[in-house]
Amino acid sequence: MKLDAKIPDGPVAEKWDRHKFEMKLVNPANKRKYSVIVVGSGLAGGAAAATLGELGYRVTCLCFQDSPRRAHSIAAQGGINAAKNYQNDGDSIWRLFYDTVKGGDFRAREANVYRLAQVSVNIIDQCVAQGVPFAREYGGLLANRSFGGAQVSRTFYARGQTGQQLLLGCYQALERQVAAGTVTMRPRTEMLDLVLVDGVARGVVTRDLVTGKIESLAADAVLLATGGYGNVFYLSTNAKGSNVTATYRAYKRGAAFGNPCYTQIHPTCIPVSGDYQSKLTLMSESLRNDGRVWVPKTAGDRRAPHEIPEAERDYYLERKYPSYGNLCPRDIASRAAKEVCDEGRGVGPSGLGVYLDFADAIGRVGEQQVRERYGNLFEMYQRITDENPYRVPMRIFPAVHYTMGGLWVDYNLMSTIPGLHVLGEANFSDHGANRLGASALMQGLADGYFVIPATIGHYLASTPLPKVDTGHPAFRAAEAEVTATTRRLLSIGGRRTVDSFHRELGKLMWENCGMARDAAGLKGNLQRIPELRAEFWENVNVPGSDAELNQALEKAGRVADFLEFGELMCRDALEREESCGGHFRVEHQTEDGEARRDDERFCHVSAWEYQGPDRAPVLHREPLTFENVHLSTRSYK
Amino acid sequence: MKLTLFVWRQPSGASSGQLVRYEAPDVSPDMSFLEMLDVVNEGLVLRGEAPIAFDHDCREGICGSCGLMINGIAHGPMKGTATCQLHMRSFKDGDTIYVEPWRARAFPVVKDLVVDRSAFDRIMAAGGFVSVSTGSAPDGNAIPVPKPDADLAMDAAACIGCGACVAACPNASAMLFTSAKVGHLQLLPQGQPERHRRALGMEAQMEAEGFGGCTWHGECQEACPKGISIDWITRLHRDFIAATVTQREESAADAGF
Ligand SMILES: Cc1cc2nc3c(=O)[nH]c(=O)nc-3n(C[C@H](O)[C@H](O)[C@H](O)COP(=O)(O)OP(=O)(O)OC[C@H]3O[C@@H](n4cnc5c(N)ncnc54)[C@H](O)[C@@H]3O)c2cc1C
Ligand code: FES
């Protein structure tokens, strides 16, 4: 396998425009001759499916929810970045580019990031035109706020429901194409395998989640926009259905997996309350604009927050990072929270929490203002915890939130399998080792609305694509494999539930491949995970049949993949002997506990190639070069 | 807490269903309603029985997947709260809880508590959009939108499409959903060029799907987890009348989509 990022020549600011000009086009009349499968209807997949439909391609779009509008993107709260500089506060495409490269701790490709910053401005225009009700000023113009890790106000938002509104805009565009007949939407359909014909991605095998029917779809290109794999940790802020299945099965068919160990742990989530906990709820990072994070100065101080006088509180982010304070990037804020909890200064029943206090903000701007800014988040908090955050400081703790890793793609978003393109959180690009707040929505929409519609045309126009249908033996074989796996899961009849395995895996991942990782823990996982996987295949209980709606079976398939994928993550984390962004190796830190990168040895993308079930995957490296933003140590002090 | 549940079990859309009794002996008040069902399901699986099927995904009250009739109330006793955000502290030790799917002709049961709400998608496809293809948009600040309009549009756009309004309505009408979806776009300048086509198209589709008519019971607004007001229905009626008049004037030729 050879990794060729296909980065166009020329200065970084001109690459995309030049590339767009140099790429081949598909004649408008020919577009309808090409068919494209889009797996996923979140911001990335929905935007791609709608736009390709508008262009005239024949598109089939799949999602596992009952409606494309329910993709996990719907849950994003805080906002979306764009280098509009409407606030005249010194923002520019260059600055967004710079911030993203630096925020990603120099582990992303410059050319991709620059393009992302460039098209960010078009995204906002598109969304406004679709009727996305962004927050506005009294003059009628768009409002902005600053968001974790940025010193300019470039984040656009729709109350605390930005993802919902962007996704609805996208879904509406998608439904327009459904009505126009260019897009066939197949909800409650899960992709279970990728089909290659002569080494080229030509289709997928799916399961109809209502009838259980296993079926194939053939096309000229396949796009995966299936989101992130944070649920490998069982508890995360992701929706319950979020999974690694589509990308992992593509990996098993030959697509390289990029940087699987890069995970983002979000600093502001509601702490775990009990063993039955099924997911974690994010409290938008925007809260850090006004909330102050603190813990008691002394370990074991169990007094109620209002009984702890100012002098005995440690506003540790403000203390350690005076220039960014509570707004320092996520990885730094999360690790700092872990540190104070490890010191025994954590708050709440479990001791795994820190305060996020709005008393000062309420004193400064009044409760009404605070309610206007965060009302729905405060309500959500109260509903879950039964505590009133206007009176008592919120308790927060870090939780798995986003995965920067994903299938490796080149500049055209194509994986190492010709014809297989990967978009949104499912790919590895753009965010390096740490994603800045409000940049995932931007990336999903950039990929879907603006990048893939240009690059897919070039692929289709320049690749010979002999006619293939689902009668081809490759489809038959993949269907047979999928059916066999399904039957096998149903036939085990063991004594443990799928969830119990998932929880156990999650715990292993959280403890040894979470906020802080070390060689011993990772090696332990590399031994323990295969054992757990073996037990799963002997002792899991998946009731019901394969010819019906069977949610236990759906979960079992996803957990089976997580049980393999978790091992790949640990392997990647073990191999990367440096600390960068969200990947913190305990062995590699400075004296004051900050991450220590090793640019000599690790300034590259790690891309893993599958070698079969009983063989270790092979690591390939794509070197990263920084010509515009010079490699430097990230400092938010 | 110890609870007794009566849960609607129906193997498939084609078969008949019934309420089945389950004991939930060890419920924490801090669990969400769905976590309580998870625990019941774990027990069922270990006993070799089929777990209760229910739709859910985000568990944050935003995706609109979840939705149960709890003691006859859509999304249960807590106002403004989707099922996944309802916590067991809303119940008392010893309570008996009836759990059923949404009931509406246009939402056929798929299995147990899962229903088919694809009718909502088809209503959206009948005009619930602005016809603006990617790439053709002017600058985001080219058209100022008065803040009150943007805020009001956002109130309507907050709908999560869960279908509680339909389930709560004695007529199983989808008027609150449709009016909120129409209303959001009608308030914005971007939605103006198609406002008549949109109102007519979506309302026609709503009828074609077999939803009932609106007779102002107001149960929809009570059940809505996002607090969407029935004022949107009044606005839709106004739009519908205006659109019908315009349509007559414009000649029937371009009324179709
Ligand atoms: C609580 C929360 C808040 C967030 N807030 C922000 C924010 O404020 N700003 C920001 O920029 N980012 C935010 N993020 C991150 C951001 O929301 C996601 O990264 C982004 O929405 C992912 O979009 P996507 O299109 O790549 O994938 P998703 O939206 O996850 O969509 C995945 C799609 O793939 C489908 N799918 C998956 N597997 C299969 C399969 N096997 N077969 C068929 N279909 C499949 C699903 O049905 C779905 O349609 C937040 C994330 C969370 C969890
Ligand atoms: S599960 Fe998403 S709204 Fe309840």
Side-chain angles (χ1 to χ4, degrees), chain A residues 40-41 43-44 64-65 72-73 76 78-79 191 401-402 425 438-441:
Chain A
S41 65
L43 288 179
F64 63 74
Q65 292 90 349
H72 168 58
S73 295
M191 167 192 160
H401 179 57
Y402 182 87
E425 193 173 338
S439 287
L441 302 181

Side-chain angles (χ1 to χ4, degrees), chain A residues 162-431:
Chain A
T162 315
Q164 178 197 28
Q165 293 311 314
L166 296 174
L167 186 63
L168 291 181
C170 181
Y171 157 75
Q172 289 166 196
L174 183 64
E175 289 301 333
R176 173 173 163 243
Q177 292 312 302
V178 170
T182 60
V183 176
T184 307
M185 187 65 223
R186 309 214 7 198
R188 290 205 203 270
T189 304
E190 183 163 30
M191 167 192 160
L192 292 178
D193 210 346
L194 177 75
V195 182
L196 274 63
V197 175
D198 300 329
V200 178
R202 294 306 299 267
V204 295
V205 176
T206 63
R207 179 167 181 271
D208 180 319
L209 299 181
V210 175
T211 63
K213 189 162 178 227
I214 305 284
E215 227 179 326
S216 290
L217 287 172
D220 295 306
V222 178
L223 273 50
L224 297 187
T226 48
Y229 49 82
N231 279 350
V232 66
F233 291 87
Y234 185 69
L235 288 180
S236 84
T237 62
N238 289 9
K240 289 294 284 177
S242 298
N243 67 86
V244 76
T245 291
T247 48
Y248 193 72
R249 297 196 186 178
Y251 161 75
K252 285 172 114 176
R253 293 282 176 196
F257 213 107
N259 301 329
C261 80
Y262 288 168
T263 310
Q264 178 161 83
I265 315 266
H266 196 291
T268 53
C269 302
I270 301 180
V272 172
S273 77
D275 294 339
Y276 48 80
Q277 189 96 26
S278 62
K279 75 154 286 173
L280 295 170
T281 301
L282 174 77
M283 288 281 101
S284 169
E285 179 158 46
S286 60
L287 292 169
R288 286 202 279 147
N289 283 335
D290 285 305
R292 297 181 68 197
V293 177
W294 65 275
V295 289
K297 275 192 178 155
T298 12
D301 186 341
R302 309 303 292 167
R303 283 176 292 173
H306 65 272
E307 290 168 358
I308 303 179
E310 269 308 302
E312 292 172 43
R313 299 176 175 192
D314 179 13
Y315 294 90
Y316 58 88
L317 290 178
E318 297 169 25
R319 171 171 60 78
K320 290 172 76 172
Y321 307 101
S323 72
Y324 278 74
N326 294 299
L327 291 176
C328 68
R330 291 174 176 178
D331 51 336
I332 292 179
S334 291
R335 221 153 37 234
K338 177 180 185 317
E339 228 168 75
V340 295
C341 293
D342 288 348
E343 290 163 13
R345 299 195 285 145
V347 302
S350 62
L352 294 175
V354 299
Y355 290 125
L356 180 63
D357 196 337
F358 291 86
D360 282 0
I362 292 173
R364 196 174 63 242
V365 298
E367 188 169 321
Q368 188 48 36
Q369 269 284 329
V370 170
R371 192 180 301 276
E372 247 172 56
R373 285 181 202 165
Y374 311 111
N376 63 326
L377 296 169
F378 278 39
E379 261 172 49
M380 179 144 91
Y381 181 84
Q382 185 158 13
R383 215 172 283 140
I384 294 173
T385 62
D386 210 21
E387 287 176 359
N388 176 355
Y390 293 100
R391 301 279 160 272
V392 193
M394 281 185 179
R395 282 177 297 113
I396 53 164
F397 196 66
V400 174
H401 179 57
Y402 182 87
T403 48
M404 283 75 69
L407 290 182
W408 183 92
V409 289
D410 65 15
Y411 188 73
N412 297 317
L413 302 183
M414 191 155 90
S415 71
T416 53
I417 298 177
L420 178 71
H421 297 74
V422 192
L423 285 65
E425 193 173 338
N427 73 24
F428 88 106
S429 71
D430 300 13
H431 305 295

Side-chain angles (χ1 to χ4, degrees), chain A residues 370-609:
Chain A
V370 170
R371 192 180 301 276
E372 247 172 56
R373 285 181 202 165
Y374 311 111
N376 63 326
L377 296 169
F378 278 39
E379 261 172 49
M380 179 144 91
Y381 181 84
Q382 185 158 13
R383 215 172 283 140
I384 294 173
T385 62
D386 210 21
E387 287 176 359
N388 176 355
Y390 293 100
R391 301 279 160 272
V392 193
M394 281 185 179
R395 282 177 297 113
I396 53 164
F397 196 66
V400 174
H401 179 57
Y402 182 87
T403 48
M404 283 75 69
L407 290 182
W408 183 92
V409 289
D410 65 15
Y411 188 73
N412 297 317
L413 302 183
M414 191 155 90
S415 71
T416 53
I417 298 177
L420 178 71
H421 297 74
V422 192
L423 285 65
E425 193 173 338
N427 73 24
F428 88 106
S429 71
D430 300 13
H431 305 295
N434 174 53
R435 174 176 72 76
L436 292 180
S439 287
L441 302 181
M442 169 172 77
Q443 183 226 333
L445 290 179
D447 289 358
Y449 283 137
F450 297 105
V451 180
I452 200 72
T455 60
I456 195 97
H458 179 71
Y459 170 75
L460 295 169
S462 56
T463 314
L465 291 162
K467 216 178 141 29
V468 162
D469 63 37
T470 56
H472 189 283
F475 282 93
R476 293 278 92 92
E479 280 173 30
E481 275 181 51
V482 166
T483 309
T485 308
T486 308
R487 300 248 158 97
R488 192 172 153 211
L489 284 168
L490 289 165
S491 67
I492 299 166
R495 287 182 311 278
R496 281 184 69 178
T497 62
V498 175
D499 279 349
S500 84
F501 284 101
H502 196 176
R503 268 197 211 99
E504 189 173 339
L505 172 69
K507 203 148 175 275
L508 287 173
M509 296 302 291
W510 177 246
E511 278 167 8
N512 300 314
C513 197
M515 270 189 283
R517 303 154 172 193
D518 65 24
L522 291 166
K523 284 182 187 154
N525 267 16
L526 287 175
Q527 192 177 346
R528 184 65 197 114
I529 294 171
E531 291 165 6
L532 186 63
R533 187 165 66 228
E535 191 195 341
F536 174 88
W537 286 102
E538 275 162 23
N539 197 24
V540 75
N541 188 323
V542 185
S545 85
D546 60 352
E548 59 175 340
L549 180 97
N550 185 340
Q551 293 173 327
L553 177 62
E554 293 165 29
K555 271 199 284 200
R558 293 171 193 160
V559 171
D561 290 331
F562 280 137
L563 281 165
E564 292 183 26
F565 178 72
E567 193 181 336
L568 182 66
M569 274 178 81
C570 293
R571 194 180 290 279
D572 186 44
L574 182 62
E575 196 279 336
R576 187 168 282 277
E577 288 194 52
E578 65 161 351
S579 295
C580 58
H583 170 65
F584 189 77
R585 280 288 298 267
V586 176
E587 304 94 324
H588 301 280
Q589 52 181 312
T590 61
E591 265 144 39
D592 48 358
E594 302 295 333
R596 186 187 287 135
R597 271 195 346 245
D598 183 347
D599 295 330
E600 291 285 305
R601 293 170 62 212
F602 290 99
C603 196
H604 59 242
V605 177
S606 300
W608 296 90
E609 184 186 9

Side-chain angles (χ1 to χ4, degrees), chain B residues 120-148:
Chain B
F120 275 6
D121 292 327
R122 291 186 293 273
I123 293 177
M124 293 302 287
F129 45 75
V130 174
S131 296
V132 51
S133 295
T134 305
S136 55
D139 184 81
N141 263 345
I143 309 171
V145 179
K147 184 175 184 322

Side-chain angles (χ1 to χ4, degrees), chain B residues 34 55-67 82-85 160:
Chain B
L34 299 185
D55 266 328
H56 66 100
D57 201 21
C58 74
R59 299 204 175 189
E60 288 188 10
I62 191 75
C63 74
S65 295
C66 67
T83 303
C84 60
Q85 292 276 283
I160 58 172

Side-chain angles (χ1 to χ4, degrees), chain A residues 97-110 113 259 262 430-434 576 578 580-581 597-599 602-605 623-636:
Chain A
F97 160 62
Y98 176 90
D99 287 353
T100 309
V101 169
K102 179 181 166 211
D105 217 357
F106 299 92
R107 290 295 175 263
R109 250 185 230 145
E110 277 193 341
V113 177
N259 301 329
Y262 288 168
D430 300 13
H431 305 295
N434 174 53
R576 187 168 282 277
E578 65 161 351
C580 58
R597 271 195 346 245
D598 183 347
D599 295 330
F602 290 99
C603 196
H604 59 242
V605 177
L624 292 168
T625 47
F626 294 89
E627 289 164 358
N628 299 280
V629 185
H630 294 292
L631 276 168
S632 59
T633 302
R634 236 169 29 136
S635 168
Y636 292 90

